[in-house]
Each structure stands twice: as structure tokens, then as C-alpha cells.
Amino acid sequence: MANDYDVVVIGAGPAGYVAAIRCAQLGLKTVCVDEWINHQGEGSLGGTCLNVGCIPSKALLESSHLYHQADKDFAEHGLSVKSLAVDVVKMQQRKDQVVKDLTDGIATLFKANKVDIIHGRATIVATGTVEVVERKTRNLSHTLKAKDIIIATGSSPVRLPQAKLKDDYILDSAAALELKQVPKRICIIGAGAIGLELGSVWSRLGSEVVILEAMQKFLPIVDSKLASLAKRSLIKQGLDIRLNARLVSTRVKAKKVHVVYEDKAGEQQDSFDKLIIAVGRKPNSERVVSDALTLELDERRFVLVDDRCQTSIPNVYAIGDVVPGPMLAHKGSEEGIMVAEHIAGNEIELNYDLIPSVIYTHPEIAWCGMTEEQCKDAAIDVNVGSFPLLASGRARAMAETEGMIKIIADAKTDRVLGVHIFSVHASELIAQAVLMMEMQATSEDIALTVFAHPTLSESMHEAALSVQKRAIHIKN
Ligand code: FAD
């Protein structure tokens, strides 16, 4: 393999692999170095997202939701199932196959686009020089030269000193996606997106799930009305969410994890079959650059970049979870495209104000743009419209009437500033909101748009009509 490249991409997660493919499409000679090793001991592309994040979690959410529906919801439709049972091993095999198909798919895409792959750990040792140590042999295998380098090394789960990982008992999110049996009692530390999604999977399959959250407010980044609806719904589904509960210590004894935590009432104790730590992720910014170079980091160890993702080292860019901003796959991918275009001499911008977020509970929570609280803090007068799914014909036909869509529009210009959805398929519905907001739509624009009937999307239409107090299917 010739070792001179236009671009070396370090990391093949959704930020790095997308950047590499776009660089190659733009005619740049590109190599992507990635150190991920899967359970079979083989190099696997796709990073956290494909191997232990977005994809395996959604595969298990889907399977567990189907089980839950068959168990609890089918009867309402006049359907009965004889001898419904969970085969976790088979469920996991399906999930593993989905992961394998998609990670292999990236290798195929690399080949089609002529992106070279090296499985190993990369370190930038000088401007334009990257050394790679093969992950398996630990031998220095390549010294790569490139004009431009993209750091896309992602993130790792935050660990807690009071709950050190212990096989079979104290697990991180990756291990929590690998369980081969349904545990009787699970404790999850952290009521963020990952904690709620993992909690939903195992609770639907029959575990008793307790979630301990140190913060007083549930989902503080979510619109407060939606957060309170979601909390009520998840509690109704059986999740025992304990807020203001700070983990003090843990001990594994007699095949149980004994947990001590503090809440308003003082010290509490409880014991579980598994403890899952889901308290966030930290950037993989250490050891990417040798001591000979200075890569500036912020106080939380994220790589500091400008609005084109350039780092403090000339011709070195950083994208994805390793830089500040929402730790989301699609944000990293779009940064990858922006940087590739920039390296090729083209200019495109990424609108950081319009990055959608989704929490894949049931119903799903999705949002984009500003919350009412943020508008208030920014002294922006707003008009707010909302529409409950209960009044949607399609939602009724689906027996999925829980939730609402809320649209926030600037009171002066009517421009849509934020859309917040708690609904089945919210992850799909939010895309139309992002598109509308990218096009700088007003609530009037949405109100004058024709939506197919009967669809959940009509609720977006009605929410826009409701901004001007003229919704048709609810009292204004
Ligand atoms: P990563 O995906 O972390 O990839 C980085 C890659 O770089 C890895 O393969 C790593 O091995 C490699 N690497 C690191 N250092 C080196 C080095 N020195 N040399 C060579 N290779 C190196 N996001 C969403 O948008 N939607 C979701 O639904 C979602 N669900 C999630 C569920 C879970 C359980 C988890 C854990 C995360 C989830 N995320 C989700 C977050 C998402 O996975 C991350 O935002 C995304 O993977 C970040 O992409 P990245 O390319 O920046 O980094």
C-alpha cells in the first residue's frame, strides 16, 4: 500500500467513515484508520454507533416493542397469541446480524469509493504524519503521510469510581446490550437517552427496572411539557424513575449488586441482579496526538475547533463526538461532509441550530430548535400551538393516541423556532420539522401546506394551525 495520501481519517464511526467516503468522492486519495475490534476479535467499522450504540440499541428496542405489543396491545385489536415467549439469545443473534450487515456494508462502501482501510491505532506524530500500530499485533505497521488529517476518534462511556465495571454485574451500555437472559431486577444509573432506552428494552422483556438519576429535573434538555408527559408515560410502563438520587457506593456480594444511594430522605439501599452505568460519554481526545504537538482541548477534554472543525494544529480537523456539541451520529456525519468539502476547496456550512434529537422510548421524544424556556431566556416573544395525538384519526386507528406535537413560532415574524414531538414515530416526524425550519418556514407556511389524510403528519398541520388559534380538530 502506498503510504502517501491526501487525507488520513482517524476513526471509522459515523463521523469518520462518512468523511472518508466524501473525501474519496471528491477525488482525494483517502485512508481510514480504525482500531475497533468486535467480539469475534475482528476489526469492525462503524464505531460506537454501529457496533454498540444507535443500531444494536434500536434493534433490541424494536424486538422488545414487538413482544410488548403482542403481550399487552394485541388483545385490543382482537388478536390473541398462544404461548408467547421471549428467546433472548435469538433476539441477540438478530441484533448481531443487523450490526454485521451494516458494519460489513461500510467495508463495501469503502471499497466502492476506493478508501483504503487500516485496522489499528493511529497517532499524529508530526504535521502531516500519522503512525499506525496494528491493534492485534501491537507492531508499528505504517507511517502515513497526508496533507490533511481528520480526527474522528469518538467517545467512550464515562465510568464512576463508586461503581467499577464488573463482568456480569456492573455493566456499561455496550455490555447491557449483550445480556443473554432477562435479569429479574436491574438498576440503571442515569435517566438520559441511553439509560431510558436500555431501561425500556429490559423492562418490556420483563425486568423490574429502577433508574437512579442525580438531577432533580427529568430530561432537562427536553421541552418541559413533553418531559413531564414522557415521565408519566414511562412510569406507567413500569420504569421506577428515582430523581435526585445520587449513587454513593456499590458492592457485589452473593450474586447481587448492592447499591447505596442518597436522595432527599437520606441514605437508601437496594440490591439488583445487574447495575448499568449510563451517565454519559467522554471524548476520546487523549493519545491521538503525540507530545511533540499541541492539540488544544476545552475544560471537558473535547478537541477545540473553529466553525470549519479546524483544530489548533494546521491541516488537522476534528469531527463527531470528540468535539463539543451534541454527541449524535448525524451531527458527526454532517461535520464529516463539511470538512471533506472544505479540504476539497468547497465551502458548505453546518447549521448547528437545527440538529434534531430523538429519544427512542415509546412513544418517542423528538425535537429540533428552541424550547419555550430557551425563547423566554432569550427574550423572544412566541406563539405556541399544539395538537394532541388523541385527536388524530390515524393515531386512533393505530391505537397510539399518547402524546402531542408542539410548534413554537416567533410572535413577530411567525418563523418556526422549535418543534417538539412526543409521539409514535416522532423520529420520522421530526424530519419534516427540520426541513421546514431549514427553509425558514412560518407557522402560516405549514398551515397552508396540504397533508395526506389520515396520517400522523396531519398533527403537525393542526399544531401549526393552532399557533394562530385556528386548529380544526380541537377546541382552540
Ligand atoms: P464513534 O462512533 O465513537 O467512532 C470512533 C471510532 O474511532 C471508533 O471505532 C474507535 O475505535 C476509533 N478510534 C478511536 N481512537 C482511535 C485511534 N487513535 N486510532 C484509530 N481508531 C481510533 N446517536 C444518535 O445519533 N442516535 C442514536 O440513536 C444513538 N443511540 C446511541 C445508543 C447508545 C447505547 C450509545 C452508546 C450511543 C448512541 N448514540 C446515538 C451516540 C452515537 O453512537 C455517537 O454520537 C456516534 O457514534 C459518534 O460518532 P463518531 O464517529 O464521532 O465516534
Side-chain angles (χ1 to χ4, degrees):
M1 191 184 293
N3 284 352
D4 283 353
Y5 288 93
D6 294 313
V7 185
V8 175
V9 181
I10 306 176
Y17 87 74
V18 169
I21 290 174
R22 188 65 194 132
C23 283
Q25 286 175 345
L26 289 162
L28 300 164
K29 192 178 175 220
T30 306
V31 60
C32 184
V33 186
D34 189 275
E35 66 172 351
W36 196 282
I37 301 279
N38 65 15
H39 295 306
Q40 290 72 43
E42 292 158 3
S44 178
L45 304 173
T48 304
C49 173
L50 270 72
N51 289 286
V52 296
C54 326
I55 298 299
S57 60
K58 272 59 205 183
L60 292 184
L61 278 160
E62 193 63 31
S63 300
S64 60
H65 179 60
L66 289 175
Y67 171 73
H68 188 266
Q69 276 197 308
D71 190 30
K72 301 273 190 277
D73 304 338
F74 274 19
E76 184 186 346
H77 295 269
L79 304 171
S80 58
V81 184
K82 290 201 178 76
S83 72
L84 183 68
V86 181
D87 182 341
V88 182
V89 172
K90 194 157 182 198
M91 199 178 277
Q92 293 287 16
Q93 281 165 354
R94 188 194 83 92
K95 180 254 309 174
D96 291 343
Q97 192 60 48
V98 171
V99 168
K100 183 163 173 19
D101 291 347
L102 290 172
T103 54
D104 286 355
I106 296 176
T108 308
L109 288 172
F110 274 1
K111 201 167 167 201
N113 286 284
K114 299 191 172 52
V115 174
D116 287 339
I117 311 167
I118 303 174
H119 294 289
R121 167 169 279 262
T123 311
I124 305 170
V125 292
T127 313
T129 309
V130 175
E131 281 187 355
V132 182
V133 175
E134 267 203 27
R135 183 75 200 248
K136 274 187 185 170
T137 60
R138 308 243 174 240
N139 289 330
L140 176 66
S141 51
H142 304 268
T143 299
L144 307 171
K145 295 276 181 195
K147 187 173 156 291
D148 293 288
I149 299 168
I150 303 175
I151 299 173
T153 48
S155 62
S156 308
V158 169
R159 308 241 185 274
L160 292 176
Q162 65 275 44
K164 294 219 170 79
L165 298 187
K166 189 166 169 57
D167 279 353
D168 287 337
Y169 295 101
I170 305 182
L171 314 173
D172 62 11
S173 59
L177 291 167
E178 294 300 321
L179 300 176
K180 299 289 187 292
Q181 284 177 339
V182 180
K184 207 160 169 299
R185 287 198 90 214
I186 301 181
C187 177
I188 298 177
I189 310 294
I194 295 176
L196 294 177
E197 291 181 15
L198 290 171
S200 296
V201 166
W202 294 109
S203 143
R204 288 170 195 169
L205 296 177
S207 296
E208 189 187 326
V209 175
V210 174
I211 303 185
L212 301 182
E213 168 56 59
M215 280 189 289
Q216 197 164 353
K217 201 169 170 203
F218 181 67
L219 291 177
I221 51 167
V222 174
D223 173 273
S224 55
K225 171 78 181 160
L226 265 66
S228 80
L229 286 179
K231 185 170 163 229
R232 201 187 316 155
S233 169
L234 291 167
I235 290 171
K236 212 168 114 202
Q237 289 168 39
L239 295 184
D240 179 350
I241 301 169
R242 303 180 190 172
L243 299 175
N244 226 339
R246 193 172 291 277
L247 183 68
V248 175
S249 66
T250 56
R251 192 157 75 109
V252 177
K253 203 179 160 206
K255 297 196 171 170
K256 296 273 177 211
V257 190
H258 301 273
V259 169
V260 178
Y261 65 95
E262 262 172 14
D263 63 12
K264 267 191 195 153
E267 195 171 279
Q268 311 289 341
Q269 300 194 9
D270 210 338
S271 50
F272 302 92
D273 300 289
K274 309 275 177 202
L275 176 68
I276 299 170
I277 312 298
V279 290
R281 300 182 60 83
K282 59 177 175 23
N284 293 332
S285 56
E286 314 290 332
R287 295 182 295 126
V288 192
V289 168
S290 78
D291 294 342
L293 296 165
T294 308
L295 182 67
E296 280 182 27
L297 307 180
D298 71 9
E299 66 289 350
R300 294 167 60 214
R301 316 299 292 164
F302 287 94
V303 178
L304 275 175
V305 286
D306 67 9
D307 58 1
R308 290 291 181 279
C309 287
Q310 297 218 39
T311 69
S312 54
I313 305 173
N315 294 79
V316 175
Y317 300 82
I319 55 176
D321 277 11
V322 78
V323 301
M327 293 172 111
L328 295 169
H330 42 283
K331 174 258 193 189
S333 297
E334 294 307 319
E335 285 178 337
I337 288 176
M338 177 176 73
V339 167
E341 296 285 352
H342 181 74
I343 291 172
N346 307 324
E347 282 306 317
I348 61 166
E349 281 179 13
L350 176 50
N351 185 353
Y352 283 93
D353 292 335
L354 293 185
I355 294 173
S357 297
V358 181
I359 303 175
Y360 293 81
T361 47
H362 186 84
E364 295 172 342
I365 309 162
W367 69 97
C368 183
M370 300 173 84
T371 60
E372 254 185 286
E373 294 93 328
Q374 285 166 340
C375 292
K376 201 172 160 200
D377 290 346
I380 303 171
D381 284 340
V382 294
N383 292 323
V384 178
S386 64
F387 190 76
L389 273 274
L390 204 60
S392 152
R394 182 64 187 277
R396 288 222 173 211
M398 294 168 77
E400 293 284 4
T401 52
E402 199 175 357
M404 64 183 289
I405 296 186
K406 177 169 167 178
I407 295 182
I408 300 166
D410 188 306
K412 283 200 198 87
T413 64
D414 191 35
R415 198 169 144 187
V416 177
L417 300 176
V419 175
H420 305 268
I421 308 175
F422 179 51
S423 150
V424 61
H425 300 321
S427 55
E428 302 295 340
L429 292 169
I430 197 65
Q432 51 185 279
V434 181
L435 198 56
M436 289 163 190
M437 290 164 77
E438 271 293 350
M439 301 297 159
Q440 308 194 354
T442 59
S443 78
E444 179 79 4
D445 290 328
I446 306 170
L448 292 172
T449 302
V450 183
F451 288 77
H453 174 77
T455 57
L456 295 173
S457 299
E458 283 173 300
S459 304
M460 188 79 78
H461 189 213
E462 288 279 357
L465 288 165
S466 143
V467 171
Q468 307 296 340
K469 307 280 171 273
R470 55 193 176 106
I472 301 296
H473 293 90
I474 46 165
K475 198 167 161 239
N476 291 289

PDB file of all heavy atoms in Angstrom, residues 27 94 110 130 172 175 177 198 208-209 229 235 247 285 293-294 307 379 390 392 401 426 445-447 455 468 471 475:
ATOM      1  N   GLY A  27     -12.391  13.082  -5.007  1.00  0.00           N
ATOM      2  CA  GLY A  27     -11.145  12.848  -5.742  1.00  0.00           C
ATOM      3  C   GLY A  27      -9.903  12.857  -4.873  1.00  0.00           C
ATOM      4  O   GLY A  27      -8.783  12.853  -5.393  1.00  0.00           O
ATOM      5  N   ARG A  94     -30.274 -11.867  16.074  1.00  0.00           N
ATOM      6  CA  ARG A  94     -30.803 -10.978  15.031  1.00  0.00           C
ATOM      7  C   ARG A  94     -30.107  -9.630  15.087  1.00  0.00           C
ATOM      8  O   ARG A  94     -29.641  -9.088  14.085  1.00  0.00           O
ATOM      9  CB  ARG A  94     -32.320 -10.786  15.210  1.00  0.00           C
ATOM     10  CG  ARG A  94     -32.967 -10.019  14.050  1.00  0.00           C
ATOM     11  CD  ARG A  94     -34.365  -9.530  14.377  1.00  0.00           C
ATOM     12  NE  ARG A  94     -34.353  -8.289  15.115  1.00  0.00           N
ATOM     13  CZ  ARG A  94     -34.413  -7.078  14.559  1.00  0.00           C
ATOM     14  NH1 ARG A  94     -34.512  -6.951  13.244  1.00  0.00           N
ATOM     15  NH2 ARG A  94     -34.381  -5.989  15.300  1.00  0.00           N
ATOM     16  N   PHE A 110     -16.409   1.486   1.369  1.00  0.00           N
ATOM     17  CA  PHE A 110     -15.016   1.945   1.276  1.00  0.00           C
ATOM     18  C   PHE A 110     -14.379   1.408  -0.017  1.00  0.00           C
ATOM     19  O   PHE A 110     -13.706   2.131  -0.741  1.00  0.00           O
ATOM     20  CB  PHE A 110     -14.207   1.481   2.494  1.00  0.00           C
ATOM     21  CG  PHE A 110     -14.304   2.415   3.694  1.00  0.00           C
ATOM     22  CD1 PHE A 110     -15.074   3.567   3.661  1.00  0.00           C
ATOM     23  CD2 PHE A 110     -13.593   2.146   4.860  1.00  0.00           C
ATOM     24  CE1 PHE A 110     -15.148   4.428   4.762  1.00  0.00           C
ATOM     25  CE2 PHE A 110     -13.652   2.991   5.959  1.00  0.00           C
ATOM     26  CZ  PHE A 110     -14.433   4.131   5.909  1.00  0.00           C
ATOM     27  N   VAL A 130       1.211  10.362  10.323  1.00  0.00           N
ATOM     28  CA  VAL A 130       0.419   9.532  11.245  1.00  0.00           C
ATOM     29  C   VAL A 130       1.081   8.173  11.353  1.00  0.00           C
ATOM     30  O   VAL A 130       1.383   7.549  10.329  1.00  0.00           O
ATOM     31  CB  VAL A 130      -1.029   9.356  10.715  1.00  0.00           C
ATOM     32  CG1 VAL A 130      -1.829   8.400  11.604  1.00  0.00           C
ATOM     33  CG2 VAL A 130      -1.742  10.691  10.603  1.00  0.00           C
ATOM     34  N   ASP A 172     -21.386  -1.456  31.446  1.00  0.00           N
ATOM     35  CA  ASP A 172     -21.593  -0.205  30.711  1.00  0.00           C
ATOM     36  C   ASP A 172     -22.686  -0.455  29.666  1.00  0.00           C
ATOM     37  O   ASP A 172     -23.236  -1.563  29.580  1.00  0.00           O
ATOM     38  CB  ASP A 172     -20.276   0.314  30.109  1.00  0.00           C
ATOM     39  CG  ASP A 172     -19.676  -0.648  29.093  1.00  0.00           C
ATOM     40  OD1 ASP A 172     -20.364  -1.611  28.695  1.00  0.00           O
ATOM     41  OD2 ASP A 172     -18.518  -0.438  28.700  1.00  0.00           O
ATOM     42  N   ALA A 175     -22.160  -3.505  27.271  1.00  0.00           N
ATOM     43  CA  ALA A 175     -22.418  -4.830  27.865  1.00  0.00           C
ATOM     44  C   ALA A 175     -23.916  -5.022  28.131  1.00  0.00           C
ATOM     45  O   ALA A 175     -24.430  -6.145  28.056  1.00  0.00           O
ATOM     46  CB  ALA A 175     -21.617  -4.981  29.155  1.00  0.00           C
ATOM     47  N   LEU A 177     -26.202  -4.237  26.252  1.00  0.00           N
ATOM     48  CA  LEU A 177     -26.860  -4.639  25.002  1.00  0.00           C
ATOM     49  C   LEU A 177     -26.562  -6.095  24.649  1.00  0.00           C
ATOM     50  O   LEU A 177     -26.988  -6.590  23.621  1.00  0.00           O
ATOM     51  CB  LEU A 177     -26.375  -3.739  23.846  1.00  0.00           C
ATOM     52  CG  LEU A 177     -26.825  -2.281  23.897  1.00  0.00           C
ATOM     53  CD1 LEU A 177     -26.026  -1.441  22.905  1.00  0.00           C
ATOM     54  CD2 LEU A 177     -28.312  -2.168  23.593  1.00  0.00           C
ATOM     55  N   LEU A 198     -32.230   1.763  27.243  1.00  0.00           N
ATOM     56  CA  LEU A 198     -31.875   0.442  27.800  1.00  0.00           C
ATOM     57  C   LEU A 198     -32.929  -0.013  28.800  1.00  0.00           C
ATOM     58  O   LEU A 198     -33.317  -1.187  28.833  1.00  0.00           O
ATOM     59  CB  LEU A 198     -30.501   0.510  28.472  1.00  0.00           C
ATOM     60  CG  LEU A 198     -29.303   0.674  27.530  1.00  0.00           C
ATOM     61  CD1 LEU A 198     -28.035   0.958  28.317  1.00  0.00           C
ATOM     62  CD2 LEU A 198     -29.121  -0.583  26.675  1.00  0.00           C
ATOM     63  N   GLU A 208     -37.596  -5.904  36.227  1.00  0.00           N
ATOM     64  CA  GLU A 208     -38.026  -4.779  37.060  1.00  0.00           C
ATOM     65  C   GLU A 208     -36.879  -3.762  36.976  1.00  0.00           C
ATOM     66  O   GLU A 208     -35.744  -4.083  37.334  1.00  0.00           O
ATOM     67  CB  GLU A 208     -38.204  -5.264  38.491  1.00  0.00           C
ATOM     68  CG  GLU A 208     -38.843  -4.258  39.402  1.00  0.00           C
ATOM     69  CD  GLU A 208     -38.827  -4.750  40.845  1.00  0.00           C
ATOM     70  OE1 GLU A 208     -38.956  -5.981  41.067  1.00  0.00           O
ATOM     71  OE2 GLU A 208     -38.637  -3.906  41.730  1.00  0.00           O
ATOM     72  N   VAL A 209     -37.170  -2.554  36.472  1.00  0.00           N
ATOM     73  CA  VAL A 209     -36.094  -1.590  36.213  1.00  0.00           C
ATOM     74  C   VAL A 209     -36.238  -0.360  37.114  1.00  0.00           C
ATOM     75  O   VAL A 209     -37.285   0.286  37.140  1.00  0.00           O
ATOM     76  CB  VAL A 209     -36.093  -1.149  34.727  1.00  0.00           C
ATOM     77  CG1 VAL A 209     -35.046  -0.059  34.487  1.00  0.00           C
ATOM     78  CG2 VAL A 209     -35.835  -2.339  33.803  1.00  0.00           C
ATOM     79  N   LEU A 229     -44.854  14.703  30.264  1.00  0.00           N
ATOM     80  CA  LEU A 229     -45.698  13.651  29.651  1.00  0.00           C
ATOM     81  C   LEU A 229     -44.911  12.344  29.535  1.00  0.00           C
ATOM     82  O   LEU A 229     -45.425  11.261  29.833  1.00  0.00           O
ATOM     83  CB  LEU A 229     -46.133  14.064  28.242  1.00  0.00           C
ATOM     84  CG  LEU A 229     -47.206  15.144  28.102  1.00  0.00           C
ATOM     85  CD1 LEU A 229     -47.468  15.423  26.628  1.00  0.00           C
ATOM     86  CD2 LEU A 229     -48.498  14.715  28.783  1.00  0.00           C
ATOM     87  N   ILE A 235     -43.294   5.885  33.622  1.00  0.00           N
ATOM     88  CA  ILE A 235     -43.623   5.323  34.945  1.00  0.00           C
ATOM     89  C   ILE A 235     -44.798   4.352  34.796  1.00  0.00           C
ATOM     90  O   ILE A 235     -44.791   3.250  35.355  1.00  0.00           O
ATOM     91  CB  ILE A 235     -43.926   6.450  35.956  1.00  0.00           C
ATOM     92  CG1 ILE A 235     -42.634   7.198  36.290  1.00  0.00           C
ATOM     93  CG2 ILE A 235     -44.579   5.903  37.221  1.00  0.00           C
ATOM     94  CD1 ILE A 235     -42.802   8.460  37.110  1.00  0.00           C
ATOM     95  N   LEU A 247     -25.715   8.178  43.465  1.00  0.00           N
ATOM     96  CA  LEU A 247     -25.072   6.911  43.829  1.00  0.00           C
ATOM     97  C   LEU A 247     -23.905   7.163  44.786  1.00  0.00           C
ATOM     98  O   LEU A 247     -23.044   7.996  44.522  1.00  0.00           O
ATOM     99  CB  LEU A 247     -24.558   6.230  42.557  1.00  0.00           C
ATOM    100  CG  LEU A 247     -23.930   4.858  42.742  1.00  0.00           C
ATOM    101  CD1 LEU A 247     -24.970   3.826  43.159  1.00  0.00           C
ATOM    102  CD2 LEU A 247     -23.242   4.399  41.455  1.00  0.00           C
ATOM    103  N   SER A 285     -10.064  11.980  23.262  1.00  0.00           N
ATOM    104  CA  SER A 285      -9.134  13.007  22.776  1.00  0.00           C
ATOM    105  C   SER A 285      -7.711  12.786  23.274  1.00  0.00           C
ATOM    106  O   SER A 285      -6.797  13.491  22.882  1.00  0.00           O
ATOM    107  CB  SER A 285      -9.615  14.384  23.235  1.00  0.00           C
ATOM    108  OG  SER A 285      -9.760  14.398  24.640  1.00  0.00           O
ATOM    109  N   LEU A 293       3.290  17.606  19.540  1.00  0.00           N
ATOM    110  CA  LEU A 293       2.334  18.585  19.007  1.00  0.00           C
ATOM    111  C   LEU A 293       1.358  18.995  20.114  1.00  0.00           C
ATOM    112  O   LEU A 293       1.115  18.230  21.045  1.00  0.00           O
ATOM    113  CB  LEU A 293       1.526  17.970  17.858  1.00  0.00           C
ATOM    114  CG  LEU A 293       2.314  17.574  16.601  1.00  0.00           C
ATOM    115  CD1 LEU A 293       1.460  16.670  15.740  1.00  0.00           C
ATOM    116  CD2 LEU A 293       2.730  18.812  15.820  1.00  0.00           C
ATOM    117  N   THR A 294       0.773  20.190  19.978  1.00  0.00           N
ATOM    118  CA  THR A 294      -0.208  20.616  20.991  1.00  0.00           C
ATOM    119  C   THR A 294      -1.593  20.697  20.358  1.00  0.00           C
ATOM    120  O   THR A 294      -1.844  21.539  19.492  1.00  0.00           O
ATOM    121  CB  THR A 294       0.172  21.997  21.574  1.00  0.00           C
ATOM    122  OG1 THR A 294       1.521  21.919  22.000  1.00  0.00           O
ATOM    123  CG2 THR A 294      -0.726  22.376  22.735  1.00  0.00           C
ATOM    124  N   ASP A 307     -15.378  27.073  13.348  1.00  0.00           N
ATOM    125  CA  ASP A 307     -16.649  26.686  12.717  1.00  0.00           C
ATOM    126  C   ASP A 307     -16.462  25.842  11.458  1.00  0.00           C
ATOM    127  O   ASP A 307     -17.434  25.411  10.841  1.00  0.00           O
ATOM    128  CB  ASP A 307     -17.535  27.918  12.457  1.00  0.00           C
ATOM    129  CG  ASP A 307     -16.839  28.942  11.581  1.00  0.00           C
ATOM    130  OD1 ASP A 307     -15.690  28.680  11.165  1.00  0.00           O
ATOM    131  OD2 ASP A 307     -17.429  30.011  11.316  1.00  0.00           O
ATOM    132  N   ALA A 379     -35.480  36.272  25.578  1.00  0.00           N
ATOM    133  CA  ALA A 379     -36.440  37.392  25.474  1.00  0.00           C
ATOM    134  C   ALA A 379     -37.102  37.451  24.091  1.00  0.00           C
ATOM    135  O   ALA A 379     -37.299  38.521  23.518  1.00  0.00           O
ATOM    136  CB  ALA A 379     -35.748  38.714  25.807  1.00  0.00           C
ATOM    137  N   LEU A 390     -54.437  12.310  20.566  1.00  0.00           N
ATOM    138  CA  LEU A 390     -55.768  11.783  20.866  1.00  0.00           C
ATOM    139  C   LEU A 390     -56.784  12.239  19.818  1.00  0.00           C
ATOM    140  O   LEU A 390     -57.770  11.556  19.548  1.00  0.00           O
ATOM    141  CB  LEU A 390     -56.179  12.304  22.254  1.00  0.00           C
ATOM    142  CG  LEU A 390     -57.205  11.524  23.045  1.00  0.00           C
ATOM    143  CD1 LEU A 390     -56.723  10.114  23.315  1.00  0.00           C
ATOM    144  CD2 LEU A 390     -57.479  12.250  24.361  1.00  0.00           C
ATOM    145  N   SER A 392     -56.095  12.762  16.631  1.00  0.00           N
ATOM    146  CA  SER A 392     -55.675  12.370  15.276  1.00  0.00           C
ATOM    147  C   SER A 392     -56.368  11.076  14.878  1.00  0.00           C
ATOM    148  O   SER A 392     -56.327  10.069  15.592  1.00  0.00           O
ATOM    149  CB  SER A 392     -54.154  12.170  15.259  1.00  0.00           C
ATOM    150  OG  SER A 392     -53.777  11.230  14.274  1.00  0.00           O
ATOM    151  N   THR A 401     -52.520   6.810  20.733  1.00  0.00           N
ATOM    152  CA  THR A 401     -53.025   8.175  20.913  1.00  0.00           C
ATOM    153  C   THR A 401     -52.260   8.975  21.972  1.00  0.00           C
ATOM    154  O   THR A 401     -52.630  10.109  22.279  1.00  0.00           O
ATOM    155  CB  THR A 401     -54.517   8.131  21.318  1.00  0.00           C
ATOM    156  OG1 THR A 401     -54.629   7.236  22.435  1.00  0.00           O
ATOM    157  CG2 THR A 401     -55.394   7.670  20.178  1.00  0.00           C
ATOM    158  N   ALA A 426     -42.090   9.658  16.265  1.00  0.00           N
ATOM    159  CA  ALA A 426     -41.599  11.043  16.360  1.00  0.00           C
ATOM    160  C   ALA A 426     -40.267  11.192  15.631  1.00  0.00           C
ATOM    161  O   ALA A 426     -39.975  12.243  15.057  1.00  0.00           O
ATOM    162  CB  ALA A 426     -41.452  11.438  17.825  1.00  0.00           C
ATOM    163  N   ASP A 445     -46.907  29.034   6.731  1.00  0.00           N
ATOM    164  CA  ASP A 445     -46.493  28.175   5.604  1.00  0.00           C
ATOM    165  C   ASP A 445     -46.952  26.739   5.838  1.00  0.00           C
ATOM    166  O   ASP A 445     -47.441  26.074   4.926  1.00  0.00           O
ATOM    167  CB  ASP A 445     -44.957  28.165   5.449  1.00  0.00           C
ATOM    168  CG  ASP A 445     -44.414  29.491   4.952  1.00  0.00           C
ATOM    169  OD1 ASP A 445     -45.112  30.163   4.182  1.00  0.00           O
ATOM    170  OD2 ASP A 445     -43.290  29.844   5.362  1.00  0.00           O
ATOM    171  N   ILE A 446     -46.766  26.275   7.078  1.00  0.00           N
ATOM    172  CA  ILE A 446     -47.158  24.881   7.379  1.00  0.00           C
ATOM    173  C   ILE A 446     -48.680  24.769   7.350  1.00  0.00           C
ATOM    174  O   ILE A 446     -49.238  23.803   6.833  1.00  0.00           O
ATOM    175  CB  ILE A 446     -46.602  24.438   8.753  1.00  0.00           C
ATOM    176  CG1 ILE A 446     -45.087  24.654   8.810  1.00  0.00           C
ATOM    177  CG2 ILE A 446     -46.920  22.969   9.019  1.00  0.00           C
ATOM    178  CD1 ILE A 446     -44.482  24.473  10.192  1.00  0.00           C
ATOM    179  N   ALA A 447     -49.331  25.810   7.882  1.00  0.00           N
ATOM    180  CA  ALA A 447     -50.796  25.800   7.913  1.00  0.00           C
ATOM    181  C   ALA A 447     -51.372  25.762   6.493  1.00  0.00           C
ATOM    182  O   ALA A 447     -52.434  25.186   6.262  1.00  0.00           O
ATOM    183  CB  ALA A 447     -51.309  27.030   8.660  1.00  0.00           C
ATOM    184  N   THR A 455     -52.957  10.701   8.397  1.00  0.00           N
ATOM    185  CA  THR A 455     -51.544  10.495   8.753  1.00  0.00           C
ATOM    186  C   THR A 455     -51.260  11.152  10.102  1.00  0.00           C
ATOM    187  O   THR A 455     -51.988  12.066  10.525  1.00  0.00           O
ATOM    188  CB  THR A 455     -50.598  11.143   7.718  1.00  0.00           C
ATOM    189  OG1 THR A 455     -50.912  12.540   7.627  1.00  0.00           O
ATOM    190  CG2 THR A 455     -50.690  10.510   6.357  1.00  0.00           C
ATOM    191  N   GLN A 468     -52.051  29.893  15.419  1.00  0.00           N
ATOM    192  CA  GLN A 468     -52.928  31.056  15.178  1.00  0.00           C
ATOM    193  C   GLN A 468     -54.340  30.809  15.723  1.00  0.00           C
ATOM    194  O   GLN A 468     -55.302  31.448  15.303  1.00  0.00           O
ATOM    195  CB  GLN A 468     -53.014  31.355  13.671  1.00  0.00           C
ATOM    196  CG  GLN A 468     -51.675  31.522  12.976  1.00  0.00           C
ATOM    197  CD  GLN A 468     -50.882  32.720  13.483  1.00  0.00           C
ATOM    198  OE1 GLN A 468     -51.451  33.630  14.082  1.00  0.00           O
ATOM    199  NE2 GLN A 468     -49.568  32.711  13.269  1.00  0.00           N
ATOM    200  N   ALA A 471     -56.943  25.754  14.798  1.00  0.00           N
ATOM    201  CA  ALA A 471     -56.944  24.302  14.555  1.00  0.00           C
ATOM    202  C   ALA A 471     -58.372  23.848  14.307  1.00  0.00           C
ATOM    203  O   ALA A 471     -59.316  24.403  14.875  1.00  0.00           O
ATOM    204  CB  ALA A 471     -56.353  23.578  15.743  1.00  0.00           C
ATOM    205  N   LYS A 475     -60.590  22.145  20.131  1.00  0.00           N
ATOM    206  CA  LYS A 475     -61.098  23.459  20.536  1.00  0.00           C
ATOM    207  C   LYS A 475     -59.887  24.364  20.740  1.00  0.00           C
ATOM    208  O   LYS A 475     -58.927  23.963  21.390  1.00  0.00           O
ATOM    209  CB  LYS A 475     -61.848  23.271  21.860  1.00  0.00           C
ATOM    210  CG  LYS A 475     -62.762  24.391  22.187  1.00  0.00           C
ATOM    211  CD  LYS A 475     -63.679  23.986  23.330  1.00  0.00           C
ATOM    212  CE  LYS A 475     -64.246  25.248  23.928  1.00  0.00           C
ATOM    213  NZ  LYS A 475     -63.948  25.429  25.320  1.00  0.00           N
TER     214      LYS A 475
END
